[in-house]
């Protein structure tokens, strides 16, 4: 009998334990570590996960939810300087594209990078912020997830939005109308223009606040991130409860490009040339209309988040 009991104990001791990232102190319960491990283990055959603490794919513990042309790529690249961050390279569009969401969390998991158990997995898809269905879907996956939202002056964001679409058309040698024609209808700003709607931050944030408390959403000042990135990244580190590993020496101003680039382990890298493009010349009267249009929406947003931003 004693021999049988000893054999059973040895057998249990040899079973591999699925590694998991412990929840940070004070974290709210979510689709909990056990559910995360279950999802991971179900997909081990597809993603090549290894036992005993080796790197494997994990569902994200942090998502950069937007906003489009707010600086999401810059934020992700800067955050990737931290050794405890594993970032998905591409925009996943899991929660906002039905053809992806219908494939379930197993598909989503397979889009994540391999990461060590102690690392934080991050993905960014800027369209999440303005997509009505996304907040509830993210909450269903993990009510305790930490969300990063990077925003810029809404008028500048509209111009950047237009500029990106303009250059995309030019690359395909397709015509695209001047911004005045898209922004104005009968002399007034056209509220149906999508770029305008994306800059109504208070409208979209209210949807997220139905599912997540404000303490789960950190708003990054995209304009300050461009001008002086280090202080903004320090705030992100604190919000994510990461040890302070990113330093001022990781950033240097590139005079040729006109914005900050990154220095990582002696290797310098800048954002893609598509970032930081010059905006087209805009009539000052049209700019004034934009500033006036966003004045009240900005005030509503400031009230929601309990802070102000240096926007027109």
């Amino acid at each position: 009998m004693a021999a049988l009991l000893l054999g059973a104990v040895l057998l249990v001791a040899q079973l591999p334990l699925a590694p998991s990232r412990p929840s940070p102190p004070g974290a709210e319960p979510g689709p909990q570590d056990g559910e995360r491990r279950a999802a991971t283990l179900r997909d081990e055959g597809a993603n090549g996960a290894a036992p005993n603490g080796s790197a494997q794919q994990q569902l994200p513990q942090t998502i950069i939810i937007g906003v489009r042309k707010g600086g999401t790529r810059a934020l992700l690249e800067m955050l990737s300087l931290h050794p405890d961050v594993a970032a998905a390279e591409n925009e996943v569009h899991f929660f906002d594209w039905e053809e992806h969401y219908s494939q379930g969390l197993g598909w989503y998991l397979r889009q994540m990078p391999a990461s060590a158990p102690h690392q934080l997995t991050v993905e960014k898809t800027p369209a999440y912020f303005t997509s009505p269905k996304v907040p509830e879907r993210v909450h269903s996956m993990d009510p305790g997830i930490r969300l990063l939202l990077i925003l810029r002056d809404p008028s500048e964001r509209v111009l950047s939005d237009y500029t990106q679409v303009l250059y995309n058309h030019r690359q395909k040698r397709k015509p695209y109308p001047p911004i005045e024609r898209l922004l104005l209808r009968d002399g007034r700003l056209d509220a149906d223009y999508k770029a305008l709607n994306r800059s109504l931050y208070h409208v979209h944030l209210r949807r997220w606040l139905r599912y997540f408390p404000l303490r789960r959403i950190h708003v990054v000042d995209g304009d300050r991130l461009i001008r002086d990135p280090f202080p903004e990244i320090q705030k992100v580190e604190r919000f994510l409860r990461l040890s302070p590993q990113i330093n001022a020496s990781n950033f240097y101003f590139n005079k040729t490009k006109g914005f900050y680039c990154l220095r990582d382990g002696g290797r310098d890298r800048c954002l893609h040339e598509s970032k930081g493009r010059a905006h087209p010349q805009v009539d000052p009267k049209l700019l004034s209309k934009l500033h006036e249009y966003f004045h009240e929406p900005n005030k509503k947003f400031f009230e929601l988040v309990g802070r102000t931003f240096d926007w027109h």
Side-chain angles (χ1 to χ4, degrees), residues 132 134-137 139-140 143 206-213:
V134 170
E136 182 179 10
R137 290 176 172 182
H139 185 268
S140 294
R206 286 185 195 279
R207 283 198 295 264
W208 286 90
L209 292 176
R210 291 175 195 155
Y211 297 93
F212 296 95

Side-chain angles (χ1 to χ4, degrees), residues 218-262:
H218 176 66
V219 181
V220 180
D221 189 327
D223 297 305
R224 288 188 177 181
L225 189 77
I226 294 170
R227 295 194 303 266
D228 189 11
F230 181 51
E232 284 300 309
I233 286 298
Q234 285 183 302
K235 296 173 188 174
V236 174
E237 280 183 317
R238 289 194 291 269
F239 172 72
L240 298 179
R241 299 183 179 179
L242 293 167
S243 59
Q245 298 283 336
I246 303 174
N247 302 303
S249 59
N250 289 124
F251 306 95
Y252 71 96
F253 189 77
N254 186 308
K255 292 183 179 180
T256 303
K257 292 183 174 291
F259 52 78
Y260 278 88
C261 295
L262 310 181

Side-chain angles (χ1 to χ4, degrees), residues 110-258:
R110 291 192 293 273
Q111 314 312 308
M112 296 302 117
S115 60
H118 70 278
Q119 285 185 302
L120 194 73
T121 299
V122 181
E123 80 112 329
K124 75 105 175 170
T125 301
Y128 287 165
F129 181 55
T130 57
S131 300
K133 293 181 180 179
V134 170
E136 182 179 10
R137 290 176 172 182
V138 174
H139 185 268
S140 294
M141 180 191 75
D142 187 351
I145 199 166
R146 294 179 183 271
L147 305 170
L148 293 173
L149 172 63
I150 180 167
L151 301 175
R152 296 172 58 197
D153 181 315
S155 299
E156 290 296 313
R157 200 218 63 80
V158 169
L159 299 181
S160 291
D161 200 318
Y162 169 83
T163 302
Q164 175 174 294
V165 180
L166 173 66
Y167 273 83
N168 289 343
H169 277 70
R170 284 181 177 176
Q171 287 176 346
K172 298 173 184 177
R173 297 182 179 180
K174 293 182 177 180
Y176 197 66
I179 190 170
E180 290 81 3
R181 194 183 307 171
L182 294 173
L183 270 175
L184 297 173
R185 178 187 293 178
D186 300 326
R188 295 183 178 182
L189 290 178
D190 184 359
D192 292 331
Y193 181 40
K194 288 183 179 180
L196 274 180
N197 181 270
R198 292 187 189 107
S199 283
L200 295 174
Y201 301 147
H202 74 101
V203 173
H204 308 297
L205 183 61
R206 286 185 195 279
R207 283 198 295 264
W208 286 90
L209 292 176
R210 291 175 195 155
Y211 297 93
F212 296 95
L214 188 58
R215 65 179 178 275
R216 285 278 159 194
I217 306 172
H218 176 66
V219 181
V220 180
D221 189 327
D223 297 305
R224 288 188 177 181
L225 189 77
I226 294 170
R227 295 194 303 266
D228 189 11
F230 181 51
E232 284 300 309
I233 286 298
Q234 285 183 302
K235 296 173 188 174
V236 174
E237 280 183 317
R238 289 194 291 269
F239 172 72
L240 298 179
R241 299 183 179 179
L242 293 167
S243 59
Q245 298 283 336
I246 303 174
N247 302 303
S249 59
N250 289 124
F251 306 95
Y252 71 96
F253 189 77
N254 186 308
K255 292 183 179 180
T256 303
K257 292 183 174 291

Side-chain angles (χ1 to χ4, degrees), residues 1-143:
M1 185 66 178
L4 287 173
L5 286 174
L6 179 60
V9 170
L10 290 173
L11 178 61
V12 171
Q14 290 172 1
L15 289 174
L17 294 175
S20 66
R21 185 178 183 276
S23 298
E28 296 169 2
Q32 336 270 354
D33 292 341
E35 292 177 8
R36 285 186 184 278
R37 286 197 297 274
T40 303
L41 291 172
R42 282 196 300 271
D43 285 85
E44 276 187 350
N47 62 39
N52 302 324
S54 300
Q56 63 180 22
Q57 288 162 303
Q58 301 181 77
L59 291 172
Q61 296 93 5
T62 296
I63 300 178
I64 301 174
I65 57 173
V67 63
R68 170 176 158 136
K69 305 313 296 177
T72 57
R73 173 53 62 179
L75 176 59
L76 186 70
E77 291 292 332
M78 293 175 186
L79 195 53
S80 297
L81 293 167
H82 200 290
D84 291 342
V85 169
E89 283 190 26
N90 301 315
E91 294 176 9
V92 181
H93 287 282
F94 174 65
F95 296 101
D96 62 323
W97 287 4
E98 296 301 325
E99 61 267 35
H100 290 169
Y101 191 70
S102 62
Q103 297 184 61
L105 285 177
W107 181 92
Y108 188 40
L109 179 66
R110 291 192 293 273
Q111 314 312 308
M112 296 302 117
S115 60
H118 70 278
Q119 285 185 302
L120 194 73
T121 299
V122 181
E123 80 112 329
K124 75 105 175 170
T125 301
Y128 287 165
F129 181 55
T130 57
S131 300
K133 293 181 180 179
V134 170
E136 182 179 10
R137 290 176 172 182
V138 174
H139 185 268
S140 294
M141 180 191 75
D142 187 351

